Amino acid sequence: MQKIALITGITGQDGSYLAEFLLGRGYEVHGLIRRHSISNTSRIDHILRSNYNKIKFFLHFADTTDSSNLMRLIAEIRPTEVYNLAAQSHVGVSFEVPEYTAEATGVSTIKLLEAIRVNGGNSRYYQASTSELFGGLPETAPQSESTPFYPKSPYGAAKLYSYWITVNYRESYNIFACNGILFNHESPRRGENFVTRKITLAIANIIAGKQEKLSLGNMNARRDWGFAGDYVEGMWRMLQQDKPDDYVLATNETHTVREFVEAAFKELGITVRWEGIGIDEKGYDAQTGKLLVDVNPEYYRPAEVEFLWGNPAKAEKALGWKRKVDFRGLVTMMMDADLKEIAGMSCKEYAQSREN
Ligand code: NAP
Ligand code: F7E
């Protein structure tokens, strides 16, 4: 039987990797895209240019806040699997647009689940839940499926609604619905205002002489950062089980934002020397004394999730899932991609030129 997947958020980081993964497994893939005044398909343009387009790969204009649209598309496409990845996904921005975030990241989930239920309830459903559900309290780390939730942002609160309504539709209507509680996952396709990509892009721009320095907010925050390509496989595995359930996907490693900065500069052979604390903290090139990093309180959040460290034991055992890329591998991949794009050289080439 031909498997048919519907992906909301297909133009995003995860949507693009998931589409590639499912096409590679023989799926027919449908994606929802929003109308923009300028094209926003850069992450899936390679698929649109490939032989898959219009044969196995189809895009539909839609917005997950528009329930009539979702009803019609589920009825027309009749997907075997639905991956709900669409969201206003930026935690910091959710404090600026809290009501919209509640709609797009929270209430939209019930619209999609209702569209599935009303159309027979036969599509398997993946909900993009998040480690932002945990408050990041150090005493709860490492966090697992049984860690109590304590969201600290409008984004986290909206995702909390989505988490529970997914569980509720599973229990009430027997829909095969799963929550993937995913810790941070990154890639060269990561949005430019998430901290990892902001760091690797800024360093590449500094090297190319296009940017003076990197300005950040809270560098003490700890995250469990993995590679998005590994995580989309975990999403798919959840929907291939005999029974629906909820799973944490994480690397089981935790690092501060500061450590990410140090590791990214290290790829170029640059050691950062830190001075000062709080908003006065500054990072200098230990060799040349040049100012590389400072703190701008503009990037602080009204409330912060301080400590995330995920325990993926359940997913490893039940799904046979394990992350392939570790922290160091992720930093190398992202730093190399941005330096090649912006300065036209690899990290190794730059590091060698610095030695000479
Ligand atoms: P992303 O790059 O920000 O992509 C979000 C996607 O959602 C984009 O395709 C965006 O479309 C779409 N979208 C937003 N609002 C929409 C709406 N109202 N209607 C239709 N589409 C809409 O996010 P990501 O990193 O790929 O993450 C995927 C999902 O996993 C999100 O739900 C996120 O909250 C969740 N998550 C992410 C992580 C992580 O570390 N990446 C961890 C845990 C959970 P446009 O291109 O039109 O803006
Ligand atoms: O922040 C700190 C910031 O925006 C990470 C989303 O995919 O993962 C992501 O949410 C940390 C935070 O990701 C800057 O305060 C310091 O402590 O990269 P981020 P996030 O908030 O963890 C979760 C799992 C999701 O579900 C979300 O969708 O870095 N930080 N300075 C900064 N963060 C940003 N963005 N910019 C800074 O300048």
Side-chain angles (χ1 to χ4, degrees), residues 67-326:
S67 58
S68 59
N69 206 207
L70 298 177
M71 276 300 168
R72 180 174 56 76
L73 286 169
I74 295 284
E76 280 174 16
I77 298 165
R78 299 259 153 212
T80 332
E81 294 168 16
V82 174
Y83 294 87
N84 186 22
L85 308 185
Q88 189 304 92
S89 74
H90 198 284
V91 175
V93 172
S94 78
F95 288 98
E96 308 289 324
V97 288
E99 189 179 328
Y100 175 71
T101 302
E103 283 292 336
T105 306
V107 178
S108 289
T109 303
I110 189 85
K111 297 180 182 178
L112 191 50
L113 281 165
E114 265 297 277
I116 291 170
R117 186 185 71 79
V118 167
N119 282 292
N122 296 320
S123 308
R124 293 190 169 203
Y125 178 83
Y126 173 84
Q127 174 58 30
S129 287
T130 166
S131 50
E132 286 292 306
L133 295 174
F134 309 119
L137 306 171
E139 58 272 25
T140 66
Q143 293 97 4
S144 71
E145 294 80 1
S146 56
T147 305
F149 294 145
Y150 181 4
K152 291 261 187 85
S153 63
Y155 169 81
K159 284 284 187 186
L160 186 73
Y161 174 75
S162 290
Y163 173 93
W164 281 116
I165 204 66
T166 299
V167 172
N168 182 255
Y169 268 52
R170 176 166 80 215
E171 293 175 352
S172 307
Y173 304 116
N174 212 19
I175 290 175
F176 194 110
C178 301
N179 281 292
I181 308 170
L182 271 49
F183 282 65
N184 299 51
H185 45 279
E186 320 290 312
S187 73
R189 296 184 198 169
R190 185 58 145 152
E192 297 177 2
N193 60 355
F194 295 96
V195 80
T196 55
R197 187 77 198 291
K198 180 175 169 179
I199 293 166
T200 58
L201 259 182
I203 295 176
N205 277 316
I206 291 168
I207 298 303
K210 295 177 181 166
Q211 188 170 334
E212 199 50 35
K213 59 182 166 56
L214 164 65
S215 295
L216 292 170
N218 177 11
M219 284 193 277
N220 296 320
R222 289 189 161 271
R223 290 292 181 272
D224 178 326
W225 281 295
F227 170 51
D230 289 345
Y231 286 53
V232 299
E233 181 177 341
M235 298 175 188
W236 172 78
R237 282 179 183 255
M238 289 177 209
L239 298 198
Q240 312 313 309
Q241 303 306 303
D242 292 337
K243 287 188 183 146
D245 205 343
D246 308 317
Y247 301 91
V248 160
L249 298 184
T251 68
N252 204 4
E253 274 188 69
T254 184
H255 297 273
T256 61
V257 171
R258 188 180 298 97
E259 284 164 8
F260 194 102
V261 172
E262 287 169 353
F265 274 112
K266 199 87 200 152
E267 288 296 313
L268 307 173
I270 299 172
T271 302
V272 182
R273 174 171 52 78
W274 298 102
E275 280 180 21
I277 50 165
I279 57 167
D280 296 323
E281 184 169 6
K282 292 189 170 45
Y284 299 92
D285 183 329
Q287 197 180 324
T288 65
K290 179 183 169 3
L291 175 66
L292 298 172
V293 189
D294 68 6
V295 174
N296 184 341
E298 188 189 317
Y299 300 115
Y300 286 158
R301 293 170 182 180
E304 177 65 284
V305 170
E306 290 285 354
F307 198 115
L308 290 178
W309 171 21
N311 175 358
K314 179 178 171 183
E316 288 180 1
K317 188 157 182 264
L319 308 179
W321 177 86
K322 191 158 176 58
R323 64 111 171 104
K324 297 181 187 85
V325 178
D326 66 5

Side-chain angles (χ1 to χ4, degrees), residues 34-92:
R34 294 193 286 182
R35 190 265 163 183
H36 287 262
S37 63
I38 192 163
S39 171
N40 72 325
T41 56
S42 60
R43 293 182 177 110
I44 51 170
D45 278 344
H46 60 292
I47 305 177
L48 289 168
R49 284 192 301 265
S50 74
N51 293 336
Y52 287 123
N53 197 30
K54 304 273 190 323
I55 295 165
K56 288 255 184 187
F57 187 68
F58 304 90
L59 296 180
H60 309 265
F61 280 111
D63 191 302
T64 53
T65 59
D66 177 348
S67 58
S68 59
N69 206 207
L70 298 177
M71 276 300 168
R72 180 174 56 76
L73 286 169
I74 295 284
E76 280 174 16
I77 298 165
R78 299 259 153 212
T80 332
E81 294 168 16
V82 174
Y83 294 87
N84 186 22
L85 308 185
Q88 189 304 92
S89 74
H90 198 284
V91 175

